[in-house]
């Protein structure tokens, strides 16, 4: 964090240097200077009056107040627990379980009001409103950057898999991460960083926002609720130097670039208001066909791979070293190896602190991703064959069944495993959206199918209702609880182990669906023996076994090993 704090020492009182530029819905821009934001952060920190061992929740939208909250906690050396965008009440409660206070802007206060009966906050936990104007008026003086360079857990973020799993992000790990990124990128690359990914997301928590600060730059916040199709019009106005590209954003940029070419206009000027293309970067969720289309239109996108367990980026293509079809070379603070089974293993100074007692202790972060590293050091993520990645089509009958069950149960928590039938999570999420409540958690072992599913849900507007975790069988034991509805849509030999892994998260009345040919003899023996389940087949599509849990969750029982079958890796928690 030294790079960030060096800039804050130099520019905290600069009233002419913009730190946050917010575009209102009518298109007007409101600019907040370093002096305004940092003085508000000083006022907020004085109101908290907490020691360094405390944890403080952050429940803010994409607002200047979110930056004020981050800087206030940085000066106090207090651990921040930001609640990610689209989090359910259950997820928020898990993240905020041990906080001493919660900082909330207008959006955060509205969420807490909506969750009033959900026991999201610890008993007696104060909520501190973050209002930039009021804090600026009450500012007692200049922002104070501590002189010490000690390490501490500066953030607690959700692990990319596992129920309520969390990782601690160390300040020195963030510093190593920023130093590695800055060494690979042109100076000032993040001087004007357009926020197209929510500020609460991992990419901004450990990369974009700190990089903008380290460059002495400005965060550009779009109008609230801006659709992806309007993104090129906005970026052309704000003239960014860096822009995170999501699948919808890539599609919008491609469409705008084609239009500009047809009309004889220069693509960079039409899309970004600049003579050159800004630094366009993305994670593995953007499919290669979209990246190739961008490339053909003169819009190079620098793909990388990262996950919370490594404090963000593991590898990244950069302007100086880029190879299409890869996720770049490992950053300088990262050690990367390929394990005996082809899994990408990560180590080095960027590893987060595991807050889970059952994580591997071999010194490596097990990504669960199959990969190869070529002779030049570029990381190639190994995609499975197309038929397996695409999955089986979801039949209309199964789709209606899943949607109807979520609607009729008003299910608060639905857990799905494997997701072989493409579209099953979509139907579950559509049911939750129609109910206006509930959260769908999909455990998908295949990284690329997980990314494809995540992109599809985002494009359909269902992402706030469904979380896609790149996670394996062993992660089901840490799924949210209690589970109201479980969907087992996986290989036949994994159905019984999946059920056993989930049983500790069930309650009497939990409904379990096993689709099609998945149930095997041992699985049916388990659910039809009458001891713990009431079970019956339904003649829908290829067949569904419906089981109702009758008894409370059992004491811990290790999941049985799967019956030998086609080789499929069981990944450790990971994410893109």
């Amino acid at each position: 964090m030294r790079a960030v704090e060096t800039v804050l020492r130099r520019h905290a009182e600069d009233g002419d240097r913009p730190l946050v530029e917010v575009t209102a819905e009518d298109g007007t821009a409101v600019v907040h200077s370093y002096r305004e934001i940092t003085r508000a952060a000083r006022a907020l920190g004085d109101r908290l009056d907490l020691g360094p061992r405390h944890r403080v929740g952050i429940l803010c939208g994409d607002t200047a107040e979110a930056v004020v909250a981050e800087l206030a906690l940085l000066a106090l050396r207090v651990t921040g627990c930001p609640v990610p965008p689209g989090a359910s009440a259950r997820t928020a409660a898990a993240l905020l379980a041990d906080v001493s206070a919660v900082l909330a802007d207008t959006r955060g206060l509205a969420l807490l009001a909506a969750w009033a009966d959900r026991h999201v906050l610890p008993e007696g936990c104060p909520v501190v409103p973050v209002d930039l104007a009021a804090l600026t008026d009450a500012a007692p003086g200049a922002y104070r950057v501590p002189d010490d360079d000690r390490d501490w857990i500066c953030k607690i973020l959700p692990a990319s898999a596992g129920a309520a799993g969390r990782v601690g992000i160390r300040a020195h790990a963030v510093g190593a991460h920023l130093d590695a990124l800055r060494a690979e990128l042109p100076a000032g690359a993040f001087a004007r960083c357009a926020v197209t990914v929510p500020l609460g997301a991992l990419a901004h928590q450990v990369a974009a926002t700190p990089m903008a600060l380290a460059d002495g730059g400005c965060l550009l916040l779009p109008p609230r609720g801006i659709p992806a199709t309007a993104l090129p019009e906005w970026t052309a106005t704000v003239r960014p130097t860096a822009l995170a590209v999501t699948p919808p954003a890539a599609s919008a940029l491609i469409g705008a670039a084609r239009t500009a070419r047809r009309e004889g206009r220069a693509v960079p000027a039409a899309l970004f208001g600049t003579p050159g293309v800004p630094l366009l970067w993305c994670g593995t969720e953007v499919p290669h066909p979209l990246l190739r289309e961008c490339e053909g239109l003169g819009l190079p996108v620098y793909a990388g791979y990262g996950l919370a367990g490594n404090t963000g980026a593991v590898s990244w293509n950069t302007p100086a070293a880029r190879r299409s079809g890869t996720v770049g070379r490992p950053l300088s603070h990262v050690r990367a190896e390929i394990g005996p089974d082809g899994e990408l293993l990560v180590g080095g100074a960027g590893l987060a602190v595991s807050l889970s007692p059952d994580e591997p202790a071999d010194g490596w972060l097990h990504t669960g991703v199959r990969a190869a590293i070529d002779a030049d050091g570029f990381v190639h993520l190994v995609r499975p064959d197309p038929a397996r990645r695409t999955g089986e089509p979801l039949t209309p009958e199964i789709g209606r069944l899943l949607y109807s069950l979520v609607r009729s149960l008003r299910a608060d928590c639905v857990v799905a495993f494997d997701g072989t039938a493409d579209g099953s999570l979509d139907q579950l999420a559509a049911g939750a959206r129609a109910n206006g409540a509930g959260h769908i958690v999909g455990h998908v072992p295949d990284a690329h199918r997980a990314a494809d599913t995540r992109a599809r849900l985002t494009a359909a507007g269902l992402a706030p209702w469904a979380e896609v975790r790149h996670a394996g069988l062993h992660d089901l034991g840490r799924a949210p609880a209690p589970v109201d509805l479980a969907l087992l849509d996986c290989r036949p030999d994994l159905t019984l182990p999946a059920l056993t892994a989930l049983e500790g998260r069930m309650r009497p009345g939990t409904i379990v669906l096993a689709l099609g040919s998945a149930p095997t003899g041992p699985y049916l023996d388990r659910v039809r023996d009458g001891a713990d389940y009431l079970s019956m087949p339904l003649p829908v599509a290829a067949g569904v076994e419906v089981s109702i849990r009758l008894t409370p969750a059992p004491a811990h029982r290790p999941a049985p090993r799967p019956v030998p079958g086609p080789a499929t890796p069981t990944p450790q928690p990971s994410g893109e």
Side-chain angles (χ1 to χ4, degrees):
M1 302 288 271
R2 288 187 299 272
V4 170
E5 295 189 336
T6 297
V7 168
L8 291 174
R9 287 190 182 95
R10 183 181 304 149
H11 296 300
E13 284 295 286
D14 192 336
D16 296 322
R17 180 179 292 267
L19 176 50
V20 179
E21 180 180 313
V22 184
T23 304
E25 293 183 13
D26 63 0
T28 59
V30 179
V31 179
H32 303 285
S33 70
Y34 271 70
R35 177 187 173 93
E36 182 182 358
I37 295 291
T38 59
R39 286 203 164 214
R42 163 76 185 275
L44 180 60
D46 287 354
R47 289 185 182 182
L48 285 173
D49 191 27
L50 295 174
R53 293 186 180 275
H54 286 266
R55 296 175 178 178
V56 174
I58 302 175
L59 196 54
C60 293
D62 296 335
T63 60
E65 281 79 2
V67 181
V68 170
E70 291 284 349
L71 294 185
L73 299 187
L74 176 63
L76 295 173
R77 296 294 193 254
V78 167
T79 302
C81 303
V83 177
S88 65
R90 186 189 303 272
T91 299
L95 289 170
L96 303 175
D98 50 9
V99 299
S100 301
V102 170
L103 307 179
D105 64 1
T106 303
R107 171 186 170 275
L109 292 172
L111 278 174
L112 290 173
W115 293 338
D117 59 347
R118 304 295 295 277
H119 306 291
V120 168
L121 302 183
E123 187 174 353
C125 176
V127 177
V128 181
V130 186
D131 183 302
L132 177 57
L135 289 168
T136 302
D137 291 341
Y143 184 77
R144 294 177 296 194
V145 180
D147 292 329
D148 64 284
D149 190 35
R150 59 189 167 87
D151 201 7
W152 86 101
I153 294 179
C154 60
K155 297 179 188 293
I156 292 178
L157 299 175
S160 48
R166 301 183 298 172
V167 292
I169 306 298
R170 294 177 293 109
H172 286 185
V174 175
H177 182 228
L178 295 181
D179 290 346
L181 289 175
R182 297 180 75 218
E184 297 288 345
L185 297 175
F190 280 77
R192 290 182 63 80
C193 178
V195 177
T196 56
V197 176
L199 286 174
L202 171 66
H204 269 287
Q205 287 292 311
V206 298
T209 301
M211 284 289 289
L213 283 164
D215 273 346
C218 179
L219 290 169
L220 310 172
L221 304 183
R224 185 175 178 180
I226 182 174
T229 51
L231 183 66
E233 181 179 350
W234 175 67
T235 56
T237 301
V238 299
R239 301 168 62 89
T241 60
L243 175 70
V245 177
T246 62
S251 298
L253 292 175
I254 289 168
R258 287 174 175 164
T259 300
R261 281 194 170 183
R262 283 197 303 269
E263 296 174 352
R265 295 180 292 145
V267 169
L271 273 61
F272 310 111
T274 55
V277 176
L279 179 74
L280 304 177
W281 55 285
C282 72
T284 56
E285 75 278 4
V286 180
H288 286 306
L290 284 181
L291 296 181
R292 287 194 293 269
E293 283 191 74
C294 288
E295 180 79 20
L297 291 164
L299 303 172
V301 180
Y302 300 98
Y305 171 67
L307 64 170
N310 193 61
T311 312
V314 170
S315 61
W316 205 2
N317 281 287
T318 66
R322 178 167 174 267
R323 181 160 294 175
S324 180
T326 77
V327 290
R329 290 171 172 160
L331 296 174
S332 59
H333 70 304
V334 174
R335 292 183 292 113
E337 290 187 5
I338 305 300
D341 60 353
E343 181 186 16
L344 179 64
L345 307 177
V346 175
L351 287 185
V353 178
S354 174
L355 301 182
S356 174
D358 53 357
E359 292 296 321
D362 60 0
W364 290 100
L365 175 63
H366 291 247
T367 67
V369 173
R370 287 184 175 270
I373 301 177
D374 65 25
D376 296 319
F378 288 89
V379 179
H380 301 248
L381 301 187
V382 179
R383 288 184 177 269
D385 62 83
R388 187 171 151 220
R389 184 175 74 254
T390 302
E392 302 167 1
L394 186 75
T395 67
E397 296 84 0
I398 294 293
R400 285 195 294 271
L401 175 64
L402 298 179
Y403 178 85
S404 300
L405 276 173
V406 173
R407 291 298 311 274
S408 60
L409 291 171
R410 298 197 65 80
D412 184 53
C413 176
V414 181
V415 175
F417 174 62
D418 199 312
T420 299
D422 278 349
S424 57
L425 287 176
D426 307 56
Q427 292 298 323
L428 294 169
R433 181 174 64 180
N435 285 339
H439 191 55
I440 316 301
V441 180
H443 287 66
V444 183
D446 183 271
H448 301 291
R449 192 194 304 147
D452 292 345
T453 303
R454 199 176 291 121
R456 189 175 66 242
L457 289 166
T458 299
L462 296 170
W465 306 97
E467 177 185 358
V468 182
R469 297 173 173 172
H470 170 214
L473 180 67
H474 69 289
D475 292 300
L476 290 173
R478 299 194 296 273
V483 175
D484 300 313
L485 175 64
L487 172 64
L488 307 181
D489 174 25
C490 53
R491 269 179 19 207
D493 58 300
L494 295 180
T495 312
L496 180 56
L499 176 74
T500 307
L502 264 178
E503 283 182 331
R505 320 304 292 169
M506 295 182 185
R507 59 168 177 79
T510 296
I511 295 178
V512 184
L513 300 181
L515 295 191
S517 59
T520 59
Y523 177 85
L524 296 179
D525 290 343
R526 173 78 180 96
V527 297
R528 292 182 182 177
D529 66 5
D532 295 310
Y533 296 91
L534 175 65
S535 190
M536 67 202 77
L538 286 184
V540 178
V544 179
E545 184 73 13
V546 181
S547 309
I548 303 173
R549 180 78 188 180
L550 301 177
T551 56
H556 175 72
R557 178 191 306 167
R561 294 184 179 275
V563 177
T568 297
T570 302
Q572 300 292 332
S574 176
E576 289 76 40

